[in-house]
Amino acid sequence: MSGRWKKFLVVIAIAGLVAVFFAFDLQRYLTLAELKARQEAFTQFYTANRLLTLGLYFGLYVLVTALSLPGAAVMTLAGGALFGFLPALIVVSFASTIGATLAFLVSRFLLRDWVQSRFRDRLAALNAGIEREGAFYLFTLRLVPIFPFFIINLVMGLTPMRATTFYWVSQIGMLAGTAVYVNAGTQLGQIESLGGILSPGLLFSFVLLGTFPLLARKGVDIMKKRQTLKEFPKPKAFDYNLVVLGAGSAGLVSSYIAAAVKAKVALIEKHKMGGDCLNTGCVPSKALIRSAKLLAYGRRAGEFGFRKTETEFNFGEIMERVQRVVGDVEPHDSVERYTALGVECVAGEARISSPYTVEVNGRTLTTRSIIIATGASPFVPPIPGLDQVDYLTSDNLWQLRELPRRLVVLGGGPIGCEMTQAFARFGAEVTQVEMAPHLMGREDADVAEFIRGRFEAEGVRVLTGHAAKQVVSEGQDKILICEHDGQPVRIPFDQILVAVGRRPNTRGFGLEELGVRLSEPGTIETDPFLRTNFPNILCAGDVAGPFQFTHTAGHQAWYASVNALFGDFKKFRVDYSVIPWCTFTDPEVARVGLNETEAKQQDVDHEVTVFELAELDRAIAESETHGWIKVLTRPGKDKILGVTIVGTHAGDLLAEYILAMKHGIGLNKILGTIHPYPTLAEANKMVAGAWKRAHVPEKLLTWVEKLHAWRRG
Ligand SMILES: Cc1cc2nc3c(=O)[nH]c(=O)nc-3n(C[C@H](O)[C@H](O)[C@H](O)COP(=O)(O)OP(=O)(O)OC[C@H]3O[C@@H](n4cnc5c(N)ncnc54)[C@H](O)[C@@H]3O)c2cc1C
């Protein structure tokens, strides 16, 4: 039987039972007056048939709570009146917990997947909270009867809480309330109304009891953190409010914010201000890509009406321009600029010697808080023979002044793809090797295949599904040996660029000695406030993960610095709800939110709307008609779940969707916004239009057509 049918049958069964309950007005038997009236008869029946009565009572109690029917309170009183305090407490405690758990399981079976997929983004924080301290919340809710129990059962079923946790927390949490009602039942004659059972004093005691574990846990957390710090002598006064390790994107923004709010901050950099992004990452790579693009345009000159163009170049001069570009951006990240902003910049290798002290150049800086922003380094896989050749990485690539004749690029991720295309455009014979079935592993297969097609059209040999196994030298030749479908594949090369990922920089500056915990992928383990297991040591950027982008490093830096400086008063959870990125191939590939692959994997209901750039006037005028915009929306709604853009300036076009997603703006609003003609940005309105056309109210239009016909007479 399919899942849908099973759900349907469960709904029918529940609806039937509830209908019977109300149709026959069974509720009238579950009132205080009825109970009092029949107490004598019930007691006689119980005296004659003890086990049967207990069994029937138990079954009925389970049914009432499992179906969320009104009457559990009266039944509890009845239990006390009939069986006496202790037996009733035991029976009601188990029956109510089993019934509640059944209600929880039914709600989970029928609705959880749907609710979780529909409100995934909004529920993310709640789910995380439930996973962390759901048991405490449930316990509080059970003891503090603000929300009716049946609502708690049904709502908890929609969360990721485990059924066993729900069961035992409910059993313990409901015990005190059950005891009060059972006890009241033993003196049934004196009860005038259900409302009077819980006196305000008793209610207040329950509130205290219910919130106690949660408060206690928070207290223990604070104590534990204090304890972690206790073994380190705390300076009487601090030199700094904040010391930041690393002046890359994360460190620069952290210290900038600290200085802006008038904190005393030291920024320590062991190599170059600006870190990877400026010196060996985003800036040089984009500068190189720009020169390569001009060459590619030269080759396409015919498309633009030229008979012939000739471009002469020297690769060394291209690389010198790259350095000039880095030099032009350098002032933005310079010691001079940051000093003027109020940051004390220190050149030197920092070492954290305690949660309050950082050593640099033989000095000890005392500080209230520390931010680790030490970035990441190229990961070099342990391929036998690789260390015998002078392999390139994104660190030393920029020193090249001669174009390699045959270049192997190991890795099909963003850096690998960007460099593959750029070097191929300069005329290197590039072979790109990727172990996975397609390039750009994060993106949809259609995107990856399109980019692969473009690369191949430009002369790149793309080898996916090829695992690099060994590097050998034979005479003058260096050869990469890969395995593909169980067969060895030999690829001769002059240079090899290793671009298979980046490893967080966590070693050699005191973290191991101090006991700062690392997480599975090698990043520093943090809580949602970017604090490490030491509450005054925080981190941001590549070393913190989970993303490795300049913009996410800057985003985290805000949270890390604000939490470091003001966390004792107010802390902010880092918000990862809308994270965009772009790979700067030609055409660019930009994304925010879900793509189709992820939506399917996560079982998120979605619709796909695609607009081909070949339809856009500006793209046609520019001969840049390759690519598309793919928008995922909630079925029948204009709410954007994710956007992938493949095309020229895709990264810039994406900005409108990032804003829309961040602020809950749907496609209807984008459609209703004027976009200047003819721009590439108009494509965003076009895709919104395509979505609208697919959602025209056909029925309404039939009536409107009739109206027009009638008005024509
Ligand atoms: C080729 C390439 C292209 C890229 N392109 C893009 C792109 O287009 N867009 C994008 O968003 N991202 C891109 N990135 C990623 C981006 O560069 C990183 O995500 C970003 O630089 C991370 O910033 P960070 O501050 O965490 O680390 P980093 O920039 O690496 O800075 C860390 C700094 O800490 C210093 N440091 C380390 N240990 C110590 C110590 N003990 N004492 C003092 N200083 C220390 C290091 O010297 C370094 O300067 C690219 C990366 C590469 C390699």
Side-chain angles (χ1 to χ4, degrees), residues 651-706:
D652 297 274
L653 290 183
L654 193 71
E656 189 165 4
Y657 296 106
I658 304 168
L659 184 79
M661 286 184 72
K662 177 81 189 163
H663 298 286
I665 295 168
L667 288 180
N668 275 318
K669 290 243 163 68
I670 292 182
L671 184 61
T673 305
I674 300 175
H675 292 63
Y677 178 87
T679 55
L680 292 172
E682 247 197 324
N684 293 342
K685 192 178 159 103
M686 296 292 183
V687 74
W691 174 85
K692 191 77 184 174
R693 279 194 298 285
H695 292 86
V696 286
E698 292 289 356
K699 279 203 180 124
L700 181 66
L701 284 182
T702 325
W703 285 103
V704 174
E705 193 179 13
K706 283 183 182 151

Side-chain angles (χ1 to χ4, degrees), residues 245-251 268-272 274-277 280-282 285-286 348-351 373-376 394 398 415 418 502 505 509 540-543 548-551 553 582 584:
L245 274 71
S249 316
I268 310 176
E269 172 55 53
K270 70 171 179 183
H271 188 42
K272 288 183 176 172
D276 269 355
C277 182
T280 55
C282 333
S285 60
K286 268 76 251 180
E349 182 156 4
R351 183 180 174 79
T374 48
S394 59
W398 312 107
I415 299 175
E418 289 180 5
R502 298 172 52 71
N505 295 329
F509 57 96
D542 284 6
V543 76
Q548 290 188 331
F549 303 116
T550 291
H551 46 276
C582 181
F584 296 86

Side-chain angles (χ1 to χ4, degrees), residues 586-696:
D586 181 11
E588 294 176 2
V589 175
R591 174 138 80 91
V592 59
L594 294 178
N595 64 6
E596 279 189 275
T597 316
E598 289 169 349
K600 279 175 199 151
Q601 277 165 359
Q602 295 168 26
D603 215 8
V604 176
D605 287 342
H606 63 279
E607 283 176 1
V608 179
T609 308
V610 176
F611 176 76
E612 298 284 343
L613 293 179
E615 314 263 320
L616 187 74
D617 292 1
R618 176 63 182 267
I620 297 168
E622 301 241 332
S623 295
E624 298 284 8
T625 50
H626 39 262
W628 62 87
I629 299 182
K630 191 196 286 183
V631 181
L632 271 65
T633 42
R634 287 247 172 258
K637 300 262 171 5
D638 71 338
K639 183 184 160 66
I640 303 166
L641 296 172
V643 180
T644 302
I645 308 183
V646 181
T648 187
H649 296 293
D652 297 274
L653 290 183
L654 193 71
E656 189 165 4
Y657 296 106
I658 304 168
L659 184 79
M661 286 184 72
K662 177 81 189 163
H663 298 286
I665 295 168
L667 288 180
N668 275 318
K669 290 243 163 68
I670 292 182
L671 184 61
T673 305
I674 300 175
H675 292 63
Y677 178 87
T679 55
L680 292 172
E682 247 197 324
N684 293 342
K685 192 178 159 103
M686 296 292 183
V687 74
W691 174 85
K692 191 77 184 174
R693 279 194 298 285
H695 292 86
V696 286

Side-chain angles (χ1 to χ4, degrees), residues 32 81 267 522 608:
L32 188 59
L267 173 64
V608 179

Side-chain angles (χ1 to χ4, degrees), residues 22-34:
F22 286 107
F24 291 94
D25 193 17
L26 300 180
Q27 200 175 350
R28 75 193 131 104
Y29 295 112
L30 296 175
T31 60
L32 188 59
E34 187 71 16

